[in-house]
Amino acid sequence: CPFDLQAAIQGADNDVAVIIPSKPQALTVTYADLKRETASFQKKLANIGITKGSPVSIATVNSYEFIVSFLAASWQRGIAAPLNPAYKQEEFEFYIEDVKSAIVLVPKGAYAAGAPAVKAAQKFNAAIAESYWDSAKNEVALDVKELGQLKGKPAQPLLKPDADDIALVLHTSGTTSRPKVVPLTHRNLTRTMKNIRNTYQLTSSDRTMLVMPLFHVHGLLCGLLAPLLTGGSMIVPTKFSATDFWSDFIQYKANWYTAVPTIHQILLKHPVPQPLPKIRFIRSCSSPLSPTVFHNLEKTFQAPVLEAYAMTEAAHQMTSNPLPSVGKRKPGTVGLGQGVEVVILDDKDNILPDGQEGEISIKGENVTKGYLNNAEANASSFTKSGYFRTGDQGKKDEDGYIVITGRIKELINKGGEKISPIELDNVLTRHPQVSEAVSFAIPDEMYGQEVAVAIVLKSGQKGDEQEFRKWVGDKLAKFKVPKKIYFTDVMPKTATGKIQRRIVAEEMLKKES
Ligand code: ATP
Ligand code: MG
């Protein structure tokens, strides 16, 4: 079993690994090309002093150079630390200081332009290099602009990764608190790669349309690494574009994709290709997928939709709904653990029986050993018997499928009565006038917290508060009926399309005052 990111790239030399759909001509990379290019980039990194444990920050968009530099850093026993290239200087400073970057890789031209990543790297004396596809030389360039802390460091020998080396450091999304730093080893990553391969029965004939950013686990593990383990291939545009999605999908013959619900919803609002390409499955992950969107997707794209559940600390996937040939898909659930043990714990770390709600907790080779520099979070997240507490509230249904009711920090606590914001969102998005609904707690003198909801209406609709209250009251217990209803044109979201209920609440309260 391959347990490192060098051994785990398993495609046949002549098979296509990566397609970059740039105009006028796409770049097509075989496995032989990818391995040769990665080995050569590893050498370039070693020559300037990158070695075991060196943090290599990568601030480029999804691209061939991202893939090569990511793999090369990990092959050299370095620690890849991808960063959202759209960050502002202050954000880059936060992350570069936090991971102690030895070098920051930026796109061509960023140095002369004094890009935010460059300024931030200079502040912490990290080396700065531009990395890009040099079509004249037919290679991924490493154009070193400043050596920073690497100055005077001798060239390092070429290394081979070990299963327990840290290969990747990522921050959590910071949805509930300051982003936490998660180190993931080659073993953690390869375990997830195998779990994803097994869940979706990925083979060398599968080709994915990779539209999730590679600076988060979703795109990195499911879009890039799992397919590389299976000898499959991927189409990699620089970012998601609703207008190019289907033309690329069809032209380069993809047969599946994975994305957050926001992207699925955007695709549903765009013209549907005729004839439809044959889609083996659509995967949804990272935020709750409402059953309404699930059904619309299956109907519109004539493909099974498999909702999965993942987090940074688990090197992405924890559970997923199965392929149709394996089992049933249950909308509103995130399916079953695959290669990951999933239990529901009460607050004294006891395992609860099916049907009872508690904290979703996991155990598996994919799970991080612990956050960096965060003893407090480590103490509260890992139990004595080795489970990792996810911070998500949920239960197992009668088939053992996991139902997520919300983040523990985001449950609405109305006088001791816990209300799942996700359940309420789902009921409201079933209303024919509602496009999006996000529920959250607001302070209340009587109950401590009360139920509020922000609603984005479908275009041309006039919302009626009383009608929405009646709609909820007909379907859910009376105490769940929202006291406050806010109408908004856009729902605030994070870069990865996540809802931060805390931010939605703040913005709605701000609007009101
Ligand atoms: P932070 O931990 O910093 O507050 P975060 O938890 O959003 O941020 P990530 O690791 O990116 O950071 O996200 C993991 C979380 O995303 C999970 O704990 C869960 O709350 C949510 N999530 C993932 N998949 C799903 C899903 N299918 N349905 C509902 N929630 C999901
Ligand atoms: Mg989290």
Side-chain angles (χ1 to χ4, degrees):
C1 265
F3 273 112
D4 68 68
L5 290 185
Q6 197 161 22
I9 316 278
Q10 303 238 309
D13 276 0
N14 292 328
D15 281 358
V16 171
V18 180
I19 297 170
I20 309 284
S22 36
K23 310 228 156 45
Q25 219 195 334
L27 173 67
T28 302
V29 178
T30 65
Y31 273 89
D33 295 334
L34 179 64
K35 287 190 213 165
R36 191 194 55 244
E37 203 50 57
T38 302
S40 137
F41 201 87
Q42 179 189 357
K43 191 140 197 253
K44 292 174 190 160
L45 290 175
N47 281 343
I48 57 167
I50 298 300
T51 185
K52 180 176 179 195
S54 308
V56 177
S57 286
I58 308 170
T60 53
V61 293
N62 285 12
S63 56
Y64 187 33
E65 54 272 23
F66 181 101
I67 297 171
V68 165
S69 52
F70 168 78
L71 291 174
S74 74
W75 288 13
Q76 179 62 6
R77 307 187 78 178
I79 303 170
L83 297 172
N84 183 344
Y87 281 146
K88 298 285 171 1
Q89 185 176 335
E90 211 172 291
E91 294 166 299
F92 276 120
E93 286 176 9
F94 172 89
Y95 290 106
I96 289 172
E97 182 177 24
D98 232 25
V99 305
K100 304 187 175 55
S101 317
I103 185 168
V104 179
L105 303 180
V106 295
K108 191 178 168 74
Y111 188 74
V118 169
K119 290 197 182 129
Q122 282 164 332
K123 182 159 172 187
F124 297 102
N125 198 30
I128 300 161
E130 292 181 353
S131 108
Y132 52 91
W133 173 246
D134 184 336
S135 54
K137 290 195 184 145
N138 219 28
E139 64 166 26
V140 177
L142 180 75
D143 184 359
V144 180
K145 298 295 187 188
E146 279 181 27
L147 272 171
Q149 58 187 266
L150 295 176
K151 199 163 183 176
K153 216 174 159 190
Q156 299 292 308
L158 285 179
L159 304 174
K160 264 199 174 308
D162 181 85
D164 294 311
D165 286 344
I166 295 169
L168 171 68
V169 165
L170 279 178
H171 283 76
T172 60
S173 300
T175 309
T176 52
S177 56
R178 179 193 193 275
K180 299 179 279 282
V181 193
V182 181
L184 293 162
T185 63
H186 286 262
R187 194 185 298 280
N188 296 146
L189 301 177
T190 49
R191 170 44 60 196
T192 291
M193 289 154 70
K194 286 171 214 167
N195 291 345
I196 291 175
R197 173 194 65 193
N198 296 346
T199 308
Y200 308 111
Q201 298 177 5
L202 294 178
T203 70
S204 59
S205 41
D206 287 306
R207 177 166 294 172
T208 186
M209 184 73 197
L210 199 177
V211 289
M212 290 303 297
L214 288 165
F215 51 81
H216 280 303
V217 281
H218 187 159
L220 193 62
L221 270 294
C222 191
L224 173 69
L225 294 178
L228 289 182
L229 172 72
T230 65
S233 49
M234 66 222 59
I235 303 159
V236 191
T238 50
K239 62 176 200 297
F240 170 70
S241 142
T243 40
D244 294 340
F245 185 88
W246 291 114
S247 57
D248 286 344
F249 196 100
I250 292 165
Q251 183 179 354
Y252 302 111
K253 301 191 169 57
N255 69 344
W256 69 282
Y257 78 93
T258 180
V260 291
T262 314
I263 287 186
H264 300 309
Q265 268 173 297
I266 295 173
L267 288 173
L268 283 173
K269 285 188 189 136
H270 270 75
V272 175
Q274 288 303 340
L276 271 172
K278 187 147 178 39
I279 308 174
R280 190 158 78 77
F281 66 95
I282 294 173
R283 180 177 182 270
S284 184
C285 193
S286 299
S287 288
L289 181 73
S290 79
T292 313
V293 178
F294 169 94
H295 290 298
N296 285 344
L297 273 173
E298 290 218 335
K299 205 169 104 212
T300 310
F301 299 128
Q302 295 293 307
V305 171
L306 311 180
E307 183 174 1
Y309 166 48
M311 71 194 303
T312 313
E313 294 90 326
H316 197 53
Q317 184 165 298
M318 297 178 273
T319 70
S320 177
N321 275 276
L323 286 167
S325 57
V326 177
K328 59 182 166 188
R329 309 185 288 298
K330 298 180 89 178
T333 82
V334 291
L336 303 156
Q338 171 98 51
V340 183
E341 188 195 340
V342 187
V343 295
I344 308 295
L345 296 181
D346 70 9
D347 47 18
K348 297 193 178 65
D349 294 346
N350 301 308
I351 296 180
L352 291 168
D354 289 4
Q356 279 195 35
E357 268 191 41
E359 185 163 356
I360 305 172
S361 303
I362 54 164
K363 198 187 270 187
E365 228 178 2
N366 55 317
V367 183
T368 183
K369 290 229 163 49
Y371 301 105
L372 285 186
N373 312 322
N374 200 335
E376 200 186 318
N378 284 332
S380 60
S381 303
F382 291 92
T383 73
K384 283 206 181 66
S385 37
Y387 289 104
F388 173 77
R389 304 185 69 113
T390 61
D392 295 314
Q393 177 96 355
K395 62 178 181 195
K396 288 188 183 177
D397 74 2
E398 63 283 3
D399 298 316
Y401 282 46
I402 302 291
V403 178
I404 303 174
T405 35
R407 292 160 180 275
I408 289 173
K409 288 185 186 161
E410 292 180 343
L411 290 179
I412 304 164
N413 188 336
K414 180 172 172 179
E417 208 61 76
K418 303 264 182 15
I419 299 163
S420 158
I422 295 178
E423 179 186 46
L424 197 52
D425 296 351
N426 285 344
V427 165
L428 279 160
T429 43
R430 268 157 56 198
H431 191 285
Q433 294 174 356
V434 173
S435 161
E436 272 182 280
V438 173
S439 314
F440 50 90
I442 47 169
D444 185 79
E445 251 175 58
M446 175 97 143
Y447 292 105
Q449 289 188 333
E450 253 292 0
V451 186
V453 59
I455 290 178
V456 178
L457 294 166
K458 288 191 181 149
S459 63
Q461 298 293 342
K462 274 210 233 35
D464 174 12
E465 289 192 26
Q466 282 322 315
E467 154 70 16
F468 291 137
R469 287 203 178 92
K470 183 170 179 310
W471 177 265
V472 175
D474 287 347
K475 295 169 179 63
L476 298 175
K478 218 171 120 204
F479 69 91
K480 298 181 183 174
V481 173
K483 181 173 180 190
K484 290 283 307 184
I485 297 180
Y486 300 90
F487 294 101
T488 179
D489 295 335
V490 278
M491 202 64 84
K493 294 199 182 81
T494 64
T496 42
K498 281 200 181 199
I499 296 290
Q500 290 177 295
R501 291 181 198 275
R502 189 170 40 94
I503 305 282
V504 175
E506 275 168 23
E507 297 221 346
M508 295 307 128
L509 292 170
K510 216 177 352 179
K511 262 194 200 173
E512 197 180 37
S513 62

